[in-house]
């Protein structure tokens, strides 16, 4: 490369000398000789299409659902060469926490547009790469890494916390670390709430029990010298009764009282590793923390209708660790699976 530029330099000097002699002898301005050196950049060989149209997605559910919907919209719109806009409800919820960049569509303008409704599975499908509509309203509950694997670095940037939230989480964890030396933080999210009845009664499934949590925690205790488990849940009373705290390595977020979802989520994301149970809240905690993640697997019977709308391989990243659920409470429904 250096030799090439030397040749170009020498040739340029020679041309200047010849042009000067040409002017002195002939008395005319204008070059005696010109040579154009052009070096094509890779981008010159590609035709870059400007995004067109207008795409959006229905904002359904709470924080974890909204994040999945936003990431899917971002990825599919970019893949298909269209501009993405978010609805006001989604924008205001997510922009409180993250430095998102997709613009908000005006509600009045939204109502005036003749949208093409486009339902989605909860996983990426080949036909989603060629959606032949300019004005699209995506629908569903998509929350799968398969949609945005090709733009995952951009999705991670989209879900960058605002500085004040980040600082608050760091301060909280720093206080817990005092006097403990080098700590490995492991976030635990335990989803309870409506799943206690929905899973057994509708989906032939279970939620995480205390044995699952014990097994997952023991994995990190064996692997790391000084783990500290940060527990967040919408069923904190159950957690305090069923999670073993005798080793002194467990802390309940909010001092054991249920705190705001955003506070809990920021703490979980800033941990080194994650134990999730089920649900999109725990999924995103694991995805954004980028450490090891353990999840509850096989939590329904094989004939569950849930498996028609859910795929384990699309829901959980390939390098995450699944621990099979204990389905025995479902075999005898006289046993209340919510008490196990």
């Amino acid at each position: 490369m250096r030799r090439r530029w030397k040749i170009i330099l020498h040739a340029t000097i020679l041309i200047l000398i010849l042009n000067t002699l040409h002017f002195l002898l002939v008395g005319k301005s204008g070059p005696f000789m010109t040579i154009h050196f052009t070096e094509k950049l890779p981008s010159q060989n590609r035709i870059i299409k400007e995004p067109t149209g207008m795409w959006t997605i229905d904002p359904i559910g709470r924080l974890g659902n909204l994040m999945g919907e936003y990431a899917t919209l971002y990825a599919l719109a970019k893949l298909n060469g269209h501009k993405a806009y978010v609805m006001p409800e989604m924008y205001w919820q997510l922009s409180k926490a993250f430095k998102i960049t997709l613009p908000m569509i005006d509600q009045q303008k939204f109502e005036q547009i003749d949208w093409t409704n486009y339902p989605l599975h909860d996983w990426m499908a080949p036909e989603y790469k060629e959606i032949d509509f300019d004005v699209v309203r995506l629908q569903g509950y998509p929350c799968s890494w398969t949609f945005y694997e090709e733009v995952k670095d951009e999705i991670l940037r989209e879900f960058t916390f605002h500085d004040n939230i980040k600082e608050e989480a760091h301060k909280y964890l720093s206080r817990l670390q005092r006097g403990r030396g080098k700590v490995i933080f492991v976030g635990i999210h335990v989803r309870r709430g409506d799943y206690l009845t929905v899973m057994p009664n509708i989906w032939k499934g279970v939620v995480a029990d205390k044995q699952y949590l014990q097994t997952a925690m023991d994995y990190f205790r064996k692997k790391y010298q000084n783990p500290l488990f940060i527990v967040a849940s919408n069923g904190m009373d159950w957690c305090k009764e069923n999670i073993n705290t005798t080793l002194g390595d467990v802390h309940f977020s909010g001092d054991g009282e249920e705190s705001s979802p955003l506070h809990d989520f920021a703490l979980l994301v800033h941990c080194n590793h994650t134990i999730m149970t089920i649900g999109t809240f725990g999924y995103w905690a694991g995805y954004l923390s980028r450490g090891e993640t353990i999840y509850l697997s096989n939590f329904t019977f094989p004939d569950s209708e849930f498996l028609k709308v859910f795929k384990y391989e699309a829901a959980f990243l390939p390098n995450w660790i699944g621990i099979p659920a204990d389905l025995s409470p479902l075999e005898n429904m006289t046993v209340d699976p919510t008490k196990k």
Side-chain angles (χ1 to χ4, degrees), residues 118-188:
Y118 199 97
L120 296 171
H121 299 301
D122 195 17
W123 55 85
M124 184 63 181
E127 60 266 27
Y128 299 160
K129 296 180 180 181
E130 298 180 0
I131 301 176
D132 194 22
F133 301 103
D134 285 336
V135 181
V136 171
R137 180 182 179 180
L138 301 173
Q139 297 176 320
Y141 289 88
C143 187
S144 168
W145 62 272
T146 58
F147 284 106
Y148 37 84
E149 176 65 9
E150 294 182 5
V151 291
K152 61 183 177 183
D153 290 338
E154 295 173 50
I155 297 303
L156 291 171
R157 284 196 297 272
E158 289 294 310
F159 293 141
T160 299
F161 284 103
H162 291 300
D163 294 342
N164 63 312
I165 297 174
K166 194 184 304 182
E167 290 168 8
E168 183 182 341
H170 281 307
K171 287 180 181 178
Y172 191 103
L173 295 176
S174 295
R175 287 197 299 270
L176 297 179
Q177 189 174 2
R178 288 174 191 162
R180 291 178 176 268
K182 184 178 180 181
V183 167
I184 298 296
F185 290 103
V186 181
I188 301 179

Side-chain angles (χ1 to χ4, degrees), residues 63-76:
L63 180 62
N65 297 116
L66 293 175
M67 292 175 69
E69 291 150 13
Y70 181 99
T72 302
L73 169 65
Y74 183 103
L76 291 185

Side-chain angles (χ1 to χ4, degrees), residues 172 175-176 230-232 236-237 240 250-260 263-264 267:
Y172 191 103
R175 287 197 299 270
L176 297 179
I230 310 300
V231 181
M236 197 63 88
D237 289 340
K240 288 186 287 186
V250 176
H251 174 81
F252 296 103
S253 173
D255 296 322
E257 300 295 327
E258 290 183 26
S259 54
S260 75
H263 172 268
D264 285 347
L267 285 183

Side-chain angles (χ1 to χ4, degrees), residues 89-245:
E89 179 183 342
M90 176 179 289
Y91 181 85
W92 293 119
Q93 287 294 321
L94 295 183
S95 64
K96 286 190 298 186
F98 309 112
K99 300 178 180 180
I100 57 174
T101 63
L102 292 185
M104 179 179 68
I105 184 173
D106 179 74
Q107 184 67 36
Q108 186 175 1
K109 184 177 181 180
F110 169 81
E111 294 171 357
Q112 295 171 350
I113 294 174
D114 185 18
W115 296 97
T116 298
N117 294 331
Y118 199 97
L120 296 171
H121 299 301
D122 195 17
W123 55 85
M124 184 63 181
E127 60 266 27
Y128 299 160
K129 296 180 180 181
E130 298 180 0
I131 301 176
D132 194 22
F133 301 103
D134 285 336
V135 181
V136 171
R137 180 182 179 180
L138 301 173
Q139 297 176 320
Y141 289 88
C143 187
S144 168
W145 62 272
T146 58
F147 284 106
Y148 37 84
E149 176 65 9
E150 294 182 5
V151 291
K152 61 183 177 183
D153 290 338
E154 295 173 50
I155 297 303
L156 291 171
R157 284 196 297 272
E158 289 294 310
F159 293 141
T160 299
F161 284 103
H162 291 300
D163 294 342
N164 63 312
I165 297 174
K166 194 184 304 182
E167 290 168 8
E168 183 182 341
H170 281 307
K171 287 180 181 178
Y172 191 103
L173 295 176
S174 295
R175 287 197 299 270
L176 297 179
Q177 189 174 2
R178 288 174 191 162
R180 291 178 176 268
K182 184 178 180 181
V183 167
I184 298 296
F185 290 103
V186 181
I188 301 179
H189 181 251
V190 183
R191 175 66 190 274
R192 308 268 306 161
D194 57 338
Y195 273 27
L196 298 178
T197 54
V198 170
M199 289 309 297
N201 296 326
I202 297 177
W203 297 123
K204 295 184 180 180
V206 296
V207 296
D209 59 19
K210 67 183 197 178
Q211 184 56 52
Y212 162 77
L213 294 173
Q214 184 70 41
T215 303
M217 293 169 73
D218 286 345
Y219 168 86
F220 287 108
R221 286 180 175 127
K222 290 176 182 177
K223 187 165 185 176
Y224 299 104
Q225 187 173 4
N226 193 19
L228 179 60
F229 299 95
I230 310 300
V231 181
S233 176
N234 61 344
M236 197 63 88
D237 289 340
W238 182 92
C239 292
K240 288 186 287 186
E241 292 175 6
N242 290 276
I243 293 178
N244 184 358
T245 61

